[in-house]
Each structure stands twice: as C-alpha cells, then as structure tokens.
Amino acid sequence: MISKVSRGQCRVHYAGVGALGCSVPRTARRSESPGSPVTPTAHLVRRRVPLAAAVCLVALTTSCGNGAEAITTKDGVHLVHRGSLTTCTHLPYAPFQSERDGKVVGFDVSLMDLVAKRLGVKQDIVDKSFETIKTGADLNAGLCDVAAAGMTITDERKQNLDFADPYFDAAQGLLARKGVEARTLADVKRHGLTLGSQAATTGESLAHDKGIDSVSFESSDAELNGLRTGQVDLLIQDYPVAQNWLKTDASDAAKFDLVATIPTGEQYGFAVKKDGNPKLLDAINKTLSQAKRDGTYKKLYEKWIGPMPKDVTSK
C-alpha cells in the first residue's frame, strides 16, 4: 500500500522488486475559514496512481521520505501513519466534503478534525471512489483509518464496515428542471422521465427498487452536470447535497427546483475497518458525544448544513 505522501515522490518497497517511485499529482493543505470552532489540521492527499504503480496496493512494506509508518497509540488506536488520522472520502459531496479555493472543507471534515484533535494528530484526507469506500476495500488495504463520506448506514454496508454512532439524519430529494411535472418517483415512472442517480448510493438503490432504470453517474458533480446538460430530466440525491447546489449557485437555482423530499429514515455514519479498530471507533463516538454536549456539533451543523432540528442533540 502507499504510505502518507508529502510533496514529491513516494518510495514503495515491494517484496522481491525493490523500491518503486510513485508520483502523486498534488498535496494541498486544508484550512477552515476564520472563526471556525476547529483548528484546521487536514491535508488532501491524492492517490490516483498510474497502473504501473498498482503494486502499491499489495506492497508488503512502505516508506516515504518523511518516515511515516503504522503505529498504535498509547490508547490502543491503530493509525496507518504516525502522527496522522487518515480519512478516506469521495470528493465532491458538499456540504459534507468538497474543495473550496483549493482547500477541503465540510461538515464531515470538521467532525473528523475533532477526532484527530482528540488523538493528538492531524488529519490527512484521501480522495477515493465511493465504491471502494463503502465496500471496505480502502480500509482493508490500509489506505486509511476511517471512512467519512456522507455515507448512509445500511445492513449491507455493516457486513464490511464497523460504523460509529450516527451523526446525521438524511432524506432523499428530487431535483428537476423547472417545468418538469414530477413530485414522486411514481410520477417519474408514470411520465417516462429520465432520472439521474449517483452510482452505488442509497438514492440509486431506491430508484431501482421503484422499477426505475436511472442514468448512473460516478460522482455527484457528474450527476448535476447531467441535469445541466439535459441528459436527464431530474435527479435523485441526498437532500442536503441537492439543497446546497441551489444555495451556492444562482444559475442552478434559476433553472432547477427541489420538487420533493423523500423521507427514508437514513442516517450517516463514520466507519472503520471491520473488526479492525475498536479503539478508534470508541474515540469517534466519544468525540461526537462531547461535541453535542458542549455545543460544537451545533455550531458546525449550522455552519455547513443550516438550522439544526431541536431533536438532533438527543440522538
């Protein structure tokens, strides 16, 4: 596997092969806006390596010029890199995680910063496919310590991941071109409309369960672009994500409407390797509980999401 990467080259040692150079496109420092309740600690580490470097995923030992290596803290928390809490996420997925002015920010990022602070380390963020995050492949490969990707807790995903306590209640939303007559998924099917969905998400699964053969897009940005370019009539996406699109882009707000909210009872959760890091899971749960008690969670919720429902802090 690839260890934590600083600017420049990573040296990867593979049994019987020796050292291979792995180039990394970019490492950017992430910082919060002034006045944030959390001290910025995260870095974005991109690991989209060429095929020739695929041996990194099965490497037996790794080392980088900064001397990073896997450790277990005095509290029993296993970290894949010394001094860092490495987070796998899938960009962009605002308001939970996205790049803004070259920095990675969002609700998930800020909450993981709290966990990193509790552990006395900084946060590194790795941009990965949502498919390899939700199946546990990235955690099993040792690419990260925790998955924080606006991810709904499901029974299927629990088979591959250990989830912390839920941190966000979600619902699905339908975002449509103005003038499109649809308020439900039944309307979409009845009128023969073309629905867009993000691959491997609960929204896509819901559409399929309703008998809709949606157009699948790899990322939320690609899905939105499909609506913008007329590839689809409307799309299904987590409500706060669709709502954020309209809040942050006046041209989108002028062309599209959130025509429906679909209650699903979904809850987001952070996840660690299955049966692999119970002490980290405990640290995440304690951090979330403390943040809700001291008001930090409410500040972050209102900063990134909007007004917080009254019953959230009791969950």
Side-chain angles (χ1 to χ4, degrees):
M1 64 184 178
I2 308 172
S3 64
K4 176 171 167 284
V5 181
S6 59
R7 293 186 186 274
Q9 300 289 319
C10 171
R11 302 290 291 177
V12 180
H13 299 282
Y14 185 67
V17 177
L20 300 174
C22 293
S23 62
V24 178
R26 180 165 64 90
T27 302
R29 179 175 296 275
R30 187 203 65 75
S31 63
E32 298 275 359
S33 58
S36 167
V38 184
T39 302
T41 58
H43 298 72
L44 172 64
V45 181
R46 295 206 183 274
R47 292 195 175 92
R48 301 184 185 280
V49 297
L51 183 61
V55 293
C56 295
L57 295 179
V58 293
L60 299 183
T61 59
T62 64
S63 65
C64 284
N66 57 12
E69 70 270 6
I71 66 159
T72 299
T73 71
K74 60 181 176 63
D75 297 321
V77 175
H78 178 73
L79 299 175
V80 296
H81 301 302
R82 183 182 296 276
S84 301
L85 176 68
T86 307
T87 303
C88 277
T89 194
H90 181 57
L91 297 171
Y93 205 63
F96 299 95
Q97 55 270 334
S98 63
E99 288 187 77
R100 181 186 298 173
D101 299 326
K103 302 169 185 177
V104 183
V105 297
F107 189 51
D108 285 8
V109 177
S110 294
L111 289 176
M112 279 297 104
D113 271 346
L114 291 177
V115 178
K117 183 178 180 180
R118 183 185 190 91
L119 298 175
V121 298
K122 59 185 177 62
Q123 182 185 181
D124 280 343
I125 297 174
V126 183
D127 185 15
K128 297 294 295 180
S129 161
F130 188 68
E131 179 67 26
T132 57
I133 291 174
K134 73 166 191 170
T135 60
D138 293 325
L139 289 163
N140 291 338
L143 296 181
C144 49
D145 303 301
V146 61
M151 181 165 54
T152 300
I153 301 169
T154 68
D155 289 339
E156 179 182 5
R157 292 171 185 173
K158 285 180 179 179
Q159 295 177 23
N160 302 309
L161 302 164
D162 282 340
F163 281 95
D165 295 337
Y167 70 92
F168 184 79
D169 295 330
Q172 294 296 315
L174 293 179
L175 185 67
R177 287 185 289 103
K178 288 185 182 293
V180 169
E181 296 296 329
R183 296 297 180 269
T184 65
L185 288 174
D187 290 341
V188 174
K189 190 173 182 180
R190 183 182 307 114
H191 298 304
L193 299 171
T194 304
L195 178 72
S197 60
Q198 183 179 348
T201 61
T202 51
E204 182 169 86
S205 295
L206 179 61
H208 292 173
D209 289 344
K210 298 296 183 180
I212 299 171
D213 186 16
S214 60
V215 179
S216 186
F217 296 90
E218 194 274 335
S219 68
S220 59
D221 261 12
E223 183 188 21
L224 177 58
N225 192 55
L227 183 62
R228 287 169 172 165
T229 57
Q231 297 176 61
V232 297
D233 299 306
L234 71 171
L235 55 81
I236 186 169
Q237 181 56 263
D238 285 11
Y239 185 87
V241 176
Q243 182 184 48
N244 185 74
W245 288 333
L246 301 186
K247 285 170 57 179
T248 57
D249 193 311
S251 62
D252 286 338
K255 297 175 184 177
F256 311 131
D257 284 325
L258 259 173
V259 296
T261 303
I262 306 174
T264 58
E266 294 179 56
Q267 293 183 304
Y268 289 175
F270 302 125
V272 303
K273 182 179 179 180
K274 185 70 175 178
D275 300 324
N277 211 340
K279 294 294 186 179
L280 177 55
L281 204 63
D282 184 58
I284 294 170
N285 286 335
K286 287 180 178 177
T287 299
L288 292 174
S289 179
Q290 177 65 36
K292 287 186 176 184
R293 289 196 305 271
D294 66 19
T296 302
Y297 179 92
K298 185 174 186 290
K299 290 179 182 178
L300 294 175
Y301 192 107
E302 293 179 345
K303 174 182 178 179
W304 297 111
I305 311 296
M308 190 175 77
K310 293 181 179 179
D311 63 339
V312 167
T313 54
S314 65
K315 296 180 179 179

